[in-house]
Amino acid sequence: MIVVMVCMYVSRLLFHMDSATHTLQHRMSVKLWPPSQSTRLMLVERMTKNFITPSFISRKYGLLSKEEAEEDAKKIEEVAFTAANQHYEKQPDGDGSSAVQIYAKESSRLMLEVLKRGPRVQEDEEVAVTADKDAATTANVFDISGGRRAFISGEEAGEVLKPLEVPGNSYTRICFSNRSFGLEAAHVAEPILLSIKDQLTEVDLSDFVAGRPESEALEVMNIFSSALEGCNLRYLNLSNNALGEKGVRAFGKLLKTQNNLEELYLINDGISEEAARAVCELIPSTEKLKVLHFHNNMTGDEGAVAIAEMVKRSTVLEDFRCSSTRVGLEGGVALAEALGSCNHLRKLDLRDNMFGVGAAIALSKSLSAFADLTEVYLSYLNLEDEGAEALANALKECAPSLEVLDMAGNDITAKGASSFAACIAAKQFITKLNLAENELKDDGAILIAKAIEVGCGQLNEVDLNTNAIRRAGARLLAQTVVDKPGFKSLNINGNYISDEGIDEVKDIFKGMPNVLESLDENDPDGEDLDEDAKEEDEEGDNEDELESKLKGLEIKHEE
């Protein structure tokens, strides 16, 4: 990792900047702060070189010119030096080692910000383009979803939809969500939609038949589908309509003519096995599909197999969500194998299914294709240590830009935590870590804390609630995250932290109380249910000894 290398370089540079000092080390104390002017210039040169060297970060955010790189490197060094020097003046510690650490960390943090910002010229151009797009968007969007959720009558539909009848209007995006259309309103909308369908690129019909009898709702869907048949959409949202197979087929005329969809949302639609097959059958092409969401359906294994066929054909897919869909081992394996063809994937959400170890192992084999992955949500999948370790080991070797890792509720123990620790330590862009509702205990929590301590400079949210963590683990987690720049939230509620431990943790966060989440559900008298924990309780919970044993733990980065 470039930023880790710079941090290490700064530290090495300052610790070895004067060979004469090392020669006299046995006779006098080593003074590490302040650095010499030549040392500061060498740091600027090293940062400049990193800014102009192609890397996976520059491929994503752009490569700086030499002039811009030099300017940014000088500013970073000045800011980092000032911060470290102020610390040294307020808290002189003899050799200046803590000031060196601040100098290195600040340089790394600011360098990362510049890398992720990209070239300024590009940034300025994008701001201008965005402003133009925002102005154009206002004129292009027709949205009636605001206000209360309610039925819409034929008379009201005629009034509300009048702007769409204006000759030469420029509407390309329409949203009828949150208003329930009956037959009367649908017949009013039909000719209007027919008149503008050739200019439409985005259609949102989510939650637009709520409260209607099934027969009426299906007829309304048929009317809208016929009116929009043949339009060339990039975005289609049919969520929250309790479609089922009948509803999917009611939209058949619209779906059959969609060859260029980039985003498709079928959330909370009662997508059963049969409905999933109907979706797969009706949409002729998903070659351009980038976003596919199937959250909160009753898809099951057979339905997942059908969805997997669609995923397999969606080779440019970037965002896939198939959470809370009752998918088990067979469907999980099918989805995992299909995702192997999606090497542009950035966001993966498979939460709240019944995958088990087998599906996790299958998914771990596909992860190597996901070089651009930034968000992973794999909580409540019955992974256990074996499945979780397979995924953690795979993630460690791919997804260098990973920002979110969520694997809560998977029965992960301290045994599995070691793989996660190595994975986390390798992810320098990670901002959110959720391992809540597992069985990490102190051993696992300390492993995770040590991993966070190694790097994770962008981390701002950690959730390890309900993990049977006690005083030592809670204290080390708090000590580890409290100094992370911009850190926002630590949740260690629902654990077994003693009253003394609670006081210690609160004292650590006394200057930033809003960062520590509530500890109301902590149980200081909590007991572990497994035999090993009972034996530990009988022998006494010597937390200081545990912390001492794990003190020398090191997690190595692979460069």
Side-chain angles (χ1 to χ4, degrees), residues 215-232:
S215 57
E216 182 180 18
L218 289 172
E219 196 167 345
V220 169
M221 292 177 193
N222 269 299
I223 291 170
F224 273 78
S225 178
S226 297
L228 293 169
E229 180 182 8
C231 59
N232 187 17

Side-chain angles (χ1 to χ4, degrees), residues 10-81:
V10 174
S11 299
R12 287 199 302 266
L13 188 62
L14 292 170
F15 274 99
H16 302 289
M17 59 188 173
D18 189 347
S19 59
T21 302
H22 289 278
T23 304
L24 298 173
Q25 212 167 19
H26 66 287
R27 286 184 286 164
M28 58 186 292
S29 61
V30 179
K31 188 177 181 183
L32 301 173
W33 193 264
S36 67
Q37 187 62 30
S38 62
T39 298
R40 295 179 64 183
L41 289 174
M42 286 173 68
L43 175 59
V44 171
E45 289 176 7
R46 177 57 64 94
M47 286 193 290
T48 301
K49 182 178 179 181
N50 279 316
F51 282 144
I52 62 175
T53 301
S55 66
F56 69 87
I57 304 177
S58 66
R59 287 197 296 272
K60 182 176 180 181
Y61 298 103
L63 195 65
L64 273 65
S65 67
K66 186 176 180 180
E67 293 75 15
E68 189 175 359
E70 287 177 348
E71 181 184 347
D72 283 325
K74 288 176 182 177
K75 288 180 180 178
I76 288 172
E77 193 280 330
E78 287 174 6
V79 171
F81 177 82

Side-chain angles (χ1 to χ4, degrees), residues 338-360:
L339 285 166
S341 63
C342 305
N343 54 15
H344 297 281
L345 204 65
R346 294 179 179 273
K347 182 177 179 180
L348 177 63
D349 186 350
L350 299 172
R351 284 176 283 191
D352 191 23
N353 283 299
M354 299 169 284
F355 278 21
V357 174

Side-chain angles (χ1 to χ4, degrees), residues 24 71 87 94 96 111 114 134 174 197 202 216 235 242 286 312-313 345 363 391 414 442 453 495 499 544 548 551 556:
L24 298 173
E71 181 184 347
H87 169 83
M111 183 179 176
V114 170
D134 287 343
I174 60 171
K197 71 176 182 179
E202 299 186 18
E216 182 180 18
Y235 171 104
T286 57
K312 199 179 296 183
R313 300 195 301 266
L345 204 65
L363 181 59
L391 289 166
D442 267 2
E453 186 178 24
N495 285 300
D499 291 336
D544 292 332
S548 176
K551 203 167 185 179
K556 296 181 180 179

